[in-house]
Structure formats: structure tokens, C-alpha cells
Amino acid sequence: MNNYYKEIEHLIIKNETNKKARTYQQNNEDLETKWNIGRLLVEAQGGESRAKYGNGLIKVWSKDFTEKYGKGYNISNMKYFRQFYTIFPKSHTLYGQLTWSHIKMLLSIKTENERNYYINLCIDQNLSVRELKQEINNKSYDRLINKPEKIELITNNQNQNILQNLKNPIILNISKNETINNEKELQLIILAQLQTFFLQLGNGFTLVGNEYKIIDDGKHYYIDILLFNVKSLCYIVVELKFRELRQTDKGEIELYMNLVDKHIKESFHNKTIGIIISKEQDNFIATYVGEDNIIPLTYKITERN
């Protein structure tokens, strides 16, 4: 009986693996087809400079194709195919990791730099269409502090500087009836929103622990939140202050950073950095400490239903 079970399981695993491969291949072929339709439309209309004047041709052809093959080839979609060709260079195989729904959403972004940023974000974070829409609506690109003159499409998983993806302001969602009255409540809200919260600070964050204990020379130290960034290969100490930032706070977090470097950090890791989240009037401020950089960021509190 066990042999039959193993044979059945083998067939299931093989089928599921092939199913994923077929889905990926089908998606690639679908995008390839749409891109080539766009190319042929542009060529038929006399090139890119004249393509925008060829809507009459698209209108006639789309009517014929829709009658034969369905609404997937209506006039609206045919215009999308043409735009796909004119905006996206053919040479990049990264687009196969996106769906047509991703592509259509990205077509509305006019500048190449901004479009490349969101393409990289989709691939690096495996964003769904809904998540991509949320990033665009939250103006993720506009909130970047350090915008390079030219954003290249990612081609590998090379290590990144954590400061490359900082955004300002950071959005912290709370419900209509929710209030933040102390550091503990702020910590719980951040932990509950950990994934979306720290994605706004950059890519690759993972939680190591909260109220993380380090013992040094017989003394016990507790770090509010300890993170690790797999892209930057470094630990991040997060300290919460439900008050304005004080001069002594920088010395305190640098102590914790040094303790992490001394007791936890591996030789191949980069130096630990720190984030102090403090409260000034109605705003929360995140201050980055590390690599001689001290950068204040504002947190925007928004209500969710």
C-alpha cells in the first residue's frame, strides 16, 4: 500500500510542478503574442511616429477579430497591445514574471524611471495586481527620498543599500476607533502591520524578535524590535519613544547597535543600523542612525474602515 501511496504522490508532485511550468509558459506566450500584435499594428500604421493616427485601422481590425475570437481583441485591448509595444523594450525577459493585468496597470505610468521602479517592486516583492495598485495609489515612487537619475531593471539578487528604498512619509494605518497612547500600543500596531509597515522602509526586512534580550557583562538589555534585512545583510535595531526625540536617544540606540554587532552579527554581515521612532505633536518620526547617516522620516497616520 505504501508503494501505491508513493507512486500516487509522485504523480501529484509531477503534475503540480508541470502545471506551474505550463502556467508560467502560457503567461510568457500570452505576453509575447500581445507584444507582437502591438508591433505589427505599429508597423501597419507606418511606424511609431504615425501609430497614434492609426485608430481607424484598429477599429476595423478589432471588429473583425472580436467577431472571430472574442472580446479579448476589442478596440480597447488592441490599443493596449500597441502601447505595450511602444513602451516596453522587447529585450527584457523580466516581463514574463508579470501578468497582463500587471502590464496594463503599468502602462498608465508615463515616465520610464517610475515604471522601472514599480516593475522592480513587483518582481522583488512578488506583488499581486491588488498590491501593485496599492503601491501606486500610495505614491510609493514619489515618496522615495533618494531617487536615482536612472532606475535600471533588476537582473539579479545583488545586495542593496538599505537607504536606496527609503520613503517619506511612511503610512501607518489604524482603524477609526483606534488610538495610540503609549510605546507598547505603538509596538503592537507595528508588529500587527509588520509586512506592509516595513516594506515602506525598503525591501527584505524580517522580524528577529521584539523585546529582544541581549546579555553583556551580566547586564540585561531589551531591544524593542530587532529586524534583519536580507538584501542589505544587516541587523536593524528599532527603538520606540512615545515622545520627542532626545539627544540621549542616539547614544542609547548606538549602544544597542554595538551590542548586536558584538554578540549576534556574523563576520560577513554589514554593520547594524538603528531606527528610532519618536512622536512629535501628531506625527511619528523615524530617524535612521548608521553609516554616518541620520535621516528623519515622517509617518502619516491614515484611518482604515
Side-chain angles (χ1 to χ4, degrees):
M1 295 294 288
N2 284 338
N3 287 337
Y4 285 114
Y5 176 87
K6 290 179 180 178
E7 286 189 39
I8 291 172
E9 186 176 36
H10 174 74
L11 289 172
I12 292 173
I13 292 173
K14 182 179 178 180
N15 184 58
E16 291 301 314
T17 302
N18 290 339
K19 188 189 297 182
K20 291 179 181 179
R22 285 194 300 270
T23 300
Y24 183 80
Q25 182 180 357
Q26 183 178 357
N27 181 62
N28 282 350
E29 290 174 353
D30 182 57
L31 292 180
E32 183 85 8
T33 299
K34 288 175 168 58
W35 189 91
N36 277 310
I37 289 174
R39 175 180 60 81
L40 292 170
L41 286 171
V42 168
E43 291 176 4
Q45 293 167 348
E48 289 188 35
S49 62
R50 297 179 55 84
K52 61 183 179 180
Y53 303 110
N55 288 340
L57 180 64
I58 286 182
K59 185 176 181 180
V60 173
W61 286 4
S62 64
K63 184 176 184 297
D64 188 37
F65 289 139
T66 301
E67 288 175 354
K68 291 180 178 178
Y69 306 109
K71 63 181 181 180
Y73 302 94
N74 60 27
I75 187 169
S76 177
N77 282 329
M78 295 287 272
K79 287 181 179 179
Y80 278 133
F81 302 160
R82 181 179 63 185
Q83 191 180 8
F84 183 23
Y85 168 75
T86 57
I87 286 180
F88 287 83
K90 177 74 165 61
S91 57
H92 292 294
T93 57
L94 292 170
Y95 305 137
Q97 300 178 50
L98 307 176
T99 67
W100 176 239
S101 295
H102 285 102
I103 295 292
K104 282 206 298 184
M105 191 166 295
L106 291 165
L107 291 177
S108 64
I109 299 173
K110 302 303 181 185
T111 66
E112 183 181 5
N113 239 26
E114 184 174 357
R115 194 163 51 246
N116 284 353
Y117 166 78
Y118 285 112
I119 292 171
N120 288 344
L121 202 64
C122 284
I123 294 168
D124 191 45
Q125 299 180 12
N126 195 26
L127 296 183
S128 66
V129 176
R130 181 184 62 80
E131 289 168 335
L132 171 60
K133 183 178 180 180
Q134 185 176 20
E135 290 291 335
I136 294 173
N137 289 342
N138 286 341
K139 300 186 182 299
S140 178
Y141 173 78
D142 293 336
R143 290 186 288 121
L144 279 176
I145 292 177
N146 301 308
K147 289 191 184 73
E149 290 185 9
K150 184 171 179 59
I151 296 178
E152 302 287 353
L153 291 172
I154 57 176
T155 56
N156 53 46
N157 292 323
Q158 63 188 20
N159 293 341
Q160 300 176 19
N161 186 325
I162 199 170
L163 300 178
Q164 291 175 350
N165 294 307
L166 294 186
K167 301 178 183 67
N168 192 31
I170 302 298
I171 297 175
L172 180 62
N173 291 311
I174 62 173
S175 63
K176 289 183 177 180
N177 300 321
E178 196 171 15
T179 58
I180 305 174
N181 300 304
N182 51 54
E183 292 171 9
K184 189 64 178 177
E185 290 179 1
L186 176 60
Q187 184 185 99
L188 291 174
I189 287 174
I190 289 174
L191 289 172
Q193 300 183 34
L194 199 62
Q195 182 177 5
T196 56
F197 183 82
F198 283 107
L199 278 179
Q200 298 179 74
L201 298 177
N203 304 333
F205 284 93
T206 184
L207 176 66
V208 178
N210 63 302
E211 301 297 334
Y212 191 90
K213 183 171 71 175
I214 295 179
I215 302 174
D216 184 71
D217 291 336
K219 294 182 180 179
H220 292 202
Y221 298 90
Y222 293 89
I223 297 171
D224 287 342
I225 300 175
L226 182 61
L227 306 169
F228 187 79
N229 191 284
V230 298
K231 299 290 185 181
S232 300
L233 286 179
C234 69
Y235 284 95
I236 300 96
V237 172
V238 182
E239 282 297 297
L240 308 175
K241 306 295 180 186
F242 199 74
R243 53 165 171 74
E244 292 186 0
L245 190 68
R246 297 174 184 168
Q247 186 66 33
T248 55
D249 294 333
K250 182 175 180 291
E252 179 187 14
I253 199 165
E254 285 177 338
L255 168 64
Y256 293 156
M257 290 158 61
N258 290 332
L259 290 173
V260 170
D261 283 344
K262 178 180 177 181
H263 294 284
I264 304 175
K265 184 179 88 70
E266 300 288 349
S267 60
F268 57 88
H269 292 156
N270 293 314
K271 291 196 67 173
T272 300
I273 66 171
I275 302 174
I276 307 171
I277 299 178
S278 56
K279 189 174 188 294
E280 297 185 13
Q281 297 180 349
D282 293 329
N283 290 322
F284 288 98
I285 307 295
T287 302
Y288 273 68
V289 180
E291 300 177 347
D292 298 323
N293 290 295
I294 299 178
I295 304 175
L297 309 173
T298 304
Y299 281 71
K300 179 182 178 183
I301 306 296
T302 61
E303 291 185 347
R304 63 173 184 269
N305 294 324

